Amino acid sequence: MFRQYIGWKFVLASIAVLIIVTTIWFVSNLTKKIQDEERKKVATWVEANRELLKSAPDANLNLAVEIVTTNTTIPLILTDEQGHILDSRNLDSLRIAQNPDYLPEQLLAFKKQHPPFIMEVDARHKLYNYIYYGDSLILKQIRYYPYIQLGVVTLFIALVLFALSSTNRATQNQVWVGLAKETAHQLGTPLSSMEAWLEILRDNEANTMMVTELAKDVDRLKLITDRFSKIGSVPKLEERNVLEQIENMTAYIRKRAPQKVRFSVHATEQELPVMISPPLFDWVVENLLKNALDAMEGSGNIDINIENHPTFVTIDISDTGKGIPKMHFEKVFKPGFSTKKRGWGLGLSLAKRIIEEYHKGRLFVKSSEINKGTTFRILLRK
């Protein structure tokens, strides 16, 4: 699925590049043609004006008048040799009346766009006028069209990629949920068999110690099965003292941790009621504690600090392990990401999902320094 997603991204990006390159090439050619046409129209307009100025009184000037009056799209500014503005055409008359700097600004812009036409006014005194012109509205619209299309294509591709990403995530979620439920189902049969064997062993008093320890392991397997069975369904949240919940899980991990690892739990209050799913929340804490143990490789400190706030409770789990590079702060929660030689890298991914989707809280890396340690923060809303 991941390779297919990357393939779709490449195909869409290639199509987008092809569309943009083709459009830019086509619009560039079309713009050049329109510019040439507009320059010819302005040249014709200049010739028509020259004809009107130099014609005899009885000359037929109908064509020249029509050419001069029908230009309603190309903006023009007429100046004398000293640069004084004499007249203008097809510009915003309201802005000309309200802003005295409007015409000089347009003249400056026209000078940068196109070279002027020179029209002889008086041959005897060698007087000339200069006609500057700018791009018509339609030419401007065509010139900006590729950028508009680029925005539309980019938006389209972003929506398609978002849809593909959502579909990919949904498919992954279905796989994890199916795997978890199948695991819970498969564990059910041997657990039932183990419970039956325990009942037989209880008949012999000599087996009391062994039965007690085996019963603890069976209960532990039941808890794990219960956790897996709850993935994919909406868990029932209960009000629990989160401090007590964490202390119980810490005590369980402490018994199974190396002796050189020291645990400490600190809380601002003894009673911290929060709505949680006990089996799933314990799973999250267990995962974070086991990650801390793996990071410290047999010795160090694990500190759990719980703080009560008006609308939420924060739980910081800190270790003195090897730390996480900052660029991996988000990656550690991705399915399949793991720095360990064994394991599927699903622990933190599932832990984040449990906290954020089921408990509507947050789980993130608060801070980390290489060879100094890491702090994960759980935020639970009240």
Side-chain angles (χ1 to χ4, degrees), residues 180-291:
K181 289 188 178 295
E182 180 62 22
T183 302
H185 176 71
Q186 293 294 336
L187 284 173
T189 302
L191 274 174
S192 300
S193 178
M194 290 175 68
E195 286 183 312
W197 283 109
L198 278 175
E199 290 302 320
I200 295 173
L201 290 172
R202 283 194 178 97
D203 294 338
N204 188 343
E205 293 184 0
N207 297 329
T208 302
M209 183 178 296
M210 179 177 61
V211 168
T212 301
E213 292 304 316
L214 283 174
K216 289 180 181 178
D217 289 334
V218 170
D219 289 340
R220 183 67 184 163
L221 285 172
K222 282 183 178 180
L223 178 61
I224 293 171
T225 303
D226 184 48
R227 290 171 178 172
F228 274 103
S229 67
K230 283 182 168 59
I231 293 177
S233 42
V234 180
K236 182 181 179 182
L237 302 184
E238 308 170 14
E239 186 175 89
R240 293 292 184 93
N241 182 1
V242 73
L243 172 59
E244 182 180 344
Q245 204 76 21
I246 289 175
E247 284 180 335
N248 291 338
M249 182 51 64
T250 304
Y252 172 81
I253 296 295
R254 184 186 284 116
K255 292 178 182 179
R256 290 155 179 79
Q259 293 183 350
K260 292 183 179 180
V261 176
R262 293 170 294 278
F263 292 80
S264 61
V265 180
H266 309 280
T268 54
E269 298 176 24
Q270 293 300 307
E271 289 292 330
L272 293 168
V274 178
M275 298 298 291
I276 61 172
S277 169
L280 294 181
F281 181 76
D282 286 349
W283 192 0
V284 172
V285 176
E286 180 182 347
N287 263 289
L288 293 176
L289 292 177
K290 285 183 176 179
N291 270 281

